[in-house]
Amino acid sequence: MEVIPATESNLTDDNTILRVAAYCRVSTYEEAQAGSFELQVQHYKEVIEQNPKWELAGIYADEGVSATSMHRRMQFLRMIEDCRSGKIDFIITKGVNRFARNTRDCLDVVRLLKMLSPPVGVLFETENLNTLESKNEFTLGVMSLVAQGESEQKSAAITWSIIERFKKGIPIISTHNLLGFDKDSFGQVVIVEEEANIIRYIYDNYMDGSNAREIAQSLTDARIPTVLGNPVWKSSTILRILKNEKYCGDVLMQKTFTVDCFTHKKMRNTGQRPQYLLKGGIPAIIPKDRWLAVQNLLKSRRFSKKLNAKPDIGIFVRRVKTGALQGFVYINPSWNKKEVAQVLEKLLHERN
């Protein structure tokens, strides 16, 4: 039996100059701490430049981005792509919890880098782990599990604190995409009258008989931009405004919920979680009785199955009771000539 010695090794020799990159990530809530974003960048620049066997290949930094998923960390993804392109030989980072808090993602990335030719290693400073050393993979798996558990606990704690706020009637209201409202210097929700007039126009026109599509077209024709600055209004936007309880001063909390902290996928709460209604929590643009009247119209006048029922011998003609279209008759486009004739005959009889 002849033994042929290996000619290559995952570990580089002493004379090789490594192109070393650093990855750092810090939450925006930790900017005042010792591990802040700026200090990490400066630290790694000094560490790499002071080592004569290392050459700086770049500093990749994601600031204020969740570590539970790689998809939102653009600098991290760019670093992995540079490794594939052969621009990086080695990566250093503060710890496993900075690199990834999802066990599967962490191990998958480490294994992917090790399979490159030549392999790219990752040095976790806090744990003193070099992924090019095979004995460290088990330890890395354990540490990434711990990091994932910490992330899950943090997510659960944040969710619990938000729910406790809801129970005490303390809502979380974002006004950047809420037409008609803004926040003052004290963080209190206030009415923006210029935008509130648009809200009143939408409610008034709907009460007067206009549908969502017609209202959206009128706002588009008037060149009034949406809350996000879009020149074209959609009927779905009008319907959301008509259904939003905030315009009558109420706040319904936990309309949606996050499925888990890794996918960040949100679902509409249709009964899976409790909801909390704060009555009169913010200033009202639309009076409560008028808002309730619009809700009844949304359920009955526009979407009632009775409107689509074909008339019979004892036909009942429905009229608009209030607004600019008062006295007009609701027409079903599915009526045939005979049925239209019955309606006209009914109207002539009422007129005489």
Side-chain angles (χ1 to χ4, degrees), residues 111-178:
R111 288 167 180 166
L112 181 149
L113 296 176
K114 288 177 67 175
M115 291 174 63
L116 297 176
S117 181
V120 176
V122 182
L123 174 64
F124 299 100
E125 287 188 308
T126 303
E127 295 82 8
N128 193 27
L129 291 176
N130 185 343
T131 60
L132 291 181
E133 298 176 1
S134 58
K135 64 180 182 179
N136 286 332
E137 180 158 341
F138 175 76
T139 305
L140 176 62
V142 174
M143 296 305 299
S144 58
L145 277 172
V146 172
Q148 177 174 321
E150 291 176 351
S151 182
E152 291 173 340
Q153 289 180 353
K154 182 182 290 187
S155 176
I158 293 174
T159 301
W160 178 86
S161 65
I162 292 174
I163 297 301
E164 288 301 310
R165 286 172 57 95
F166 289 167
K167 290 179 180 179
K168 296 177 181 178
I170 306 174
I172 300 175
I173 303 175
S174 176
T175 58
H176 77 280
N177 61 347
L178 186 61

Side-chain angles (χ1 to χ4, degrees), residues 134-312:
S134 58
K135 64 180 182 179
N136 286 332
E137 180 158 341
F138 175 76
T139 305
L140 176 62
V142 174
M143 296 305 299
S144 58
L145 277 172
V146 172
Q148 177 174 321
E150 291 176 351
S151 182
E152 291 173 340
Q153 289 180 353
K154 182 182 290 187
S155 176
I158 293 174
T159 301
W160 178 86
S161 65
I162 292 174
I163 297 301
E164 288 301 310
R165 286 172 57 95
F166 289 167
K167 290 179 180 179
K168 296 177 181 178
I170 306 174
I172 300 175
I173 303 175
S174 176
T175 58
H176 77 280
N177 61 347
L178 186 61
L179 187 68
F181 293 108
D182 200 353
K183 289 184 178 180
D184 59 18
S185 57
F186 299 99
Q188 299 298 315
V189 177
V190 295
I191 295 176
V192 180
E193 278 301 324
E194 183 178 355
E195 296 180 358
N197 288 331
I198 301 174
I199 300 298
R200 298 185 185 104
Y201 170 84
I202 292 172
Y203 275 77
D204 290 345
N205 275 265
Y206 192 79
M207 289 289 292
D208 289 342
S210 298
N211 59 37
R213 182 185 58 80
E214 293 168 343
I215 297 172
Q217 188 60 50
S218 66
L219 291 172
T220 301
D221 293 341
R223 297 182 179 181
I224 298 174
T226 67
V227 67
L228 298 178
N230 297 325
V232 178
W233 287 73
K234 297 181 179 179
S235 57
S236 58
T237 303
I238 302 300
L239 288 174
R240 281 197 297 270
I241 290 175
L242 291 172
K243 295 176 182 178
N244 196 331
E245 79 289 342
K246 293 183 180 66
Y247 291 117
C248 70
D250 296 342
V251 182
L252 182 61
M253 293 168 275
Q254 198 162 218
K255 292 181 179 179
T256 61
F257 64 94
T258 303
V259 178
D260 63 71
C261 63
F262 298 108
T263 62
H264 300 284
K265 181 181 178 181
K266 287 188 176 182
M267 291 183 61
R268 182 171 295 278
N269 186 2
T270 58
Q272 301 93 329
R273 302 284 192 279
Q275 293 183 318
Y276 308 90
L277 179 62
L278 176 63
K279 297 182 178 181
I282 60 175
I285 295 177
I286 304 298
K288 187 64 173 289
D289 57 347
R290 192 167 182 81
W291 185 86
L292 290 173
V294 168
Q295 306 315 300
N296 290 330
L297 287 176
L298 286 168
K299 294 178 181 178
S300 59
R301 193 182 74 182
R302 292 299 181 185
F303 304 106
S304 174
K305 294 182 179 179
K306 293 181 180 179
L307 287 178
N308 295 325
K310 291 186 177 182
D312 51 20

Side-chain angles (χ1 to χ4, degrees), residues 97-115:
N97 63 343
R98 299 290 178 183
F99 195 72
R101 289 185 183 171
N102 184 315
T103 304
R104 188 185 67 181
D105 286 348
C106 182
L107 295 178
D108 285 349
V109 170
V110 167
R111 288 167 180 166
L112 181 149
L113 296 176
K114 288 177 67 175
M115 291 174 63

Side-chain angles (χ1 to χ4, degrees), residues 23 62 65-77 80 99-102 104-106 108-109 262 264:
Y23 177 75
D62 287 308
V65 182
S66 172
T68 55
S69 175
M70 294 190 301
H71 303 296
R72 298 172 61 190
R73 294 188 284 157
M74 303 310 298
Q75 289 293 307
F76 183 88
L77 296 175
I80 301 302
F99 195 72
R101 289 185 183 171
N102 184 315
R104 188 185 67 181
D105 286 348
C106 182
D108 285 349
V109 170
F262 298 108
H264 300 284

